Amino acid sequence: MAGRALLLAGAPGTGKTALALGLSHELGPKVPFCPMVGSEVYSSEVKKTEVLMENFRRAIGIRIKENKVVYEGVVTELTPEESDDPMGGFGKAVKHVVIGLKTTKGTKQLKLDASIYDSLQKEKVTVGDVIYIEANSGAVKRVGRSDEFLTEHDLEAEEYVPMPKGDVHKKKEVVQDVTLHDLDVANSRPQGGQDVMSMMNSIMKPKKTEITEKLRTEINKVVNKYIDQGVAELVPGVLFIDEIHMLDIECFTYLNRALESTLAPIVIFATNRGNCVIRGTDVVSPHGIPVDLLDRLMIVRTLPYTKNHIIDILAIRARTEGIDLGEGSLEHLGDIGAKSSLRYAVQLLTPANILATTNGRKQVLLEDVKEIDSLFLDAQSSAELLKKHSSSYVMQ
Ligand SMILES: Nc1ncnc2c1ncn2[C@@H]1O[C@H](COP(=O)(O)OP(=O)(O)OP(=O)(O)O)[C@@H](O)[C@H]1O
Ligand SMILES: [Mg+2]
């Protein structure tokens, strides 16, 4: 499927954006999912095509497996050894840190550099955690809390892991998921070692740096080499561009080309437009998309929800928001949704609940929904009112 593109086309409120959200949950954290809105490409600093390219590369993942020499175990002691500040101040500086690591096979005490103490603190490592330290880069990774401490607290969002087996000092296969964009950013400011992991570790400082086409070509070459060698594995993700009609003709031309590249994700577009003008031209085209791009897309039509679907969605929505809907009220909200729109019906939930609470009730009854519906207008009735009373509004 990689390199293929899908277009979700349908009236407003038919669940296109909701579908994308659901998709990203379904894919989980291992598969890259990059959502964007068409209008995001317009920036005064960055080229439109650059924004698109960046998002394309955010949606392509690489899983890298490397055999690393590490020290791994449960932390048994963590003692920073201090000395007087060499700058002559009153404070103390950490000179080195002594750390004890225990596995099922034995214990080892390591005396490490102060910089590793910083990384230990950054990862919030305490005694009883399972960690590993990479031997050549000194990078510290906290795996979780040792399951010896499982009964420590009853309420904790901790991940408990068993005590590592084997020696403390050993070779370990380290798996890391990154995106092509992460690699671009890391390499636009080279620092640290040349091996893959140190490239990974320098990722993400929020600063815009120029990523040139040349750098990207180089990265693609390296990535392709790693894939051939079996060190890395390509994980094509999903790029979702909402409101695709906001793009202009230059972006569309660029998309044609980007979709054909070998390293391309699955691309999903969404739009609620029918026939309209393609931005940057005066040509009218279906969905505001040029026909040559449309030809490359598989088009999925999204249809308005029926009353029963609306009732189902409202029930889920009410449950997540902790709103107790009485039997008749849900039915009536379904009717309102079918008549106006799902969005309008969803928006009535909160005010109806507030009204019920004000009246001293926990459950939202039919009368609350009716009263709230009379207080607010949906788009359609508002437009009708405007038409009826057009003479009393200011006209230009
Ligand atoms: N299957 C669903 N489950 C739960 N909520 C949904 C579902 N489908 C739609 N909704 C809700 O309905 C509302 C409208 O849906 P959504 O925003 O996806 O419409 P859309 O097709 O993107 O519309 P537009 O073209 O105007 O952007 C949202 O509040 C969304 O949360
Ligand atoms: Mg939408």
Side-chain angles (χ1 to χ4, degrees), residues 69-301:
V69 180
V70 297
Y71 293 91
E72 186 181 41
V74 181
V75 179
T76 52
E77 77 165 298
L78 187 66
T79 338
E81 295 199 346
E82 294 175 333
S83 67
D84 287 335
D85 193 336
M87 311 300 277
F90 290 108
K92 300 246 180 204
V94 174
K95 206 165 66 189
H96 54 249
V97 55
V98 176
I99 182 166
L101 291 176
K102 189 167 115 191
T103 63
T104 48
K105 218 168 163 188
T107 317
K108 206 179 179 85
Q109 202 183 43
L110 309 167
K111 189 169 160 182
L112 302 171
D113 188 65
S115 64
I116 294 182
Y117 184 61
D118 290 340
S119 333
L120 284 167
Q121 278 186 319
K122 233 180 260 159
E123 290 270 309
K124 300 202 173 64
V125 174
T126 55
V127 171
D129 290 350
V130 177
I131 64 163
Y132 66 82
I133 305 174
E134 281 173 25
N136 61 353
S137 66
V140 175
K141 175 99 174 78
R142 183 173 182 277
V143 186
R145 187 120 185 108
S146 164
D147 57 8
E148 290 171 39
F149 297 87
L150 202 53
T151 51
E152 208 176 31
H153 303 292
D154 290 331
L155 253 186
E156 201 163 16
E158 263 286 13
E159 194 178 341
Y160 290 95
V161 291
M163 182 185 290
K165 298 187 184 70
D167 291 316
V168 171
H169 186 204
K170 66 175 165 210
K171 272 211 167 117
K172 180 184 167 76
E173 192 183 68
V174 179
V175 180
Q176 192 141 352
D177 290 296
V178 289
T179 67
L180 279 184
H181 176 69
D182 295 336
L183 294 181
D184 292 345
V185 172
N187 284 279
S188 61
R189 285 169 291 110
Q191 47 177 253
Q194 280 305 303
D195 64 331
V196 194
M197 279 320 258
S198 39
M199 234 151 77
M200 316 283 123
N201 290 332
S202 53
I203 285 163
M204 274 304 147
K205 305 231 167 52
K207 186 167 166 270
K208 262 255 153 359
T209 38
E210 174 108 28
I211 298 165
T212 57
E213 201 49 47
K214 187 159 164 266
L215 176 73
R216 290 204 168 113
T217 322
E218 283 300 311
I219 297 212
N220 287 357
K221 248 195 246 161
V222 175
V223 166
N224 279 328
K225 200 177 82 196
Y226 281 136
I227 292 173
D228 288 343
Q229 289 171 352
V231 177
E233 189 189 329
L234 197 67
V235 189
V238 176
L239 170 65
F240 181 81
I241 310 184
D242 211 349
E243 319 283 341
I244 182 75
H245 51 266
M246 286 305 293
L247 297 185
D248 63 8
I249 187 74
E250 290 148 35
C251 297
F252 285 127
T253 318
Y254 185 77
L255 279 180
N256 277 343
R257 211 200 81 193
L259 280 173
E260 273 157 20
S261 114
T262 47
L263 291 175
I266 298 167
V267 186
I268 303 180
F269 303 126
T271 181
N272 55 16
R273 296 298 151 96
N275 283 322
C276 70
V277 174
I278 304 168
R279 249 183 109 120
T281 66
D282 39 16
V283 181
V284 173
S285 178
H287 310 299
I289 302 173
V291 278
D292 52 343
L293 179 59
L294 271 178
D295 196 35
R296 291 175 165 82
L297 307 177
M298 302 215 280
I299 303 177
V300 179
R301 228 152 59 87

Side-chain angles (χ1 to χ4, degrees), residues 10-19 21 242-243 271-272 302 305 313 316-317 342-343 346:
T14 46
K16 299 179 294 293
T17 310
L19 199 61
L21 281 178
D242 211 349
E243 319 283 341
T271 181
N272 55 16
T302 56
Y305 287 109
I313 293 173
I316 300 172
R317 198 70 237 165
L342 171 62
R343 279 208 178 96
V346 169

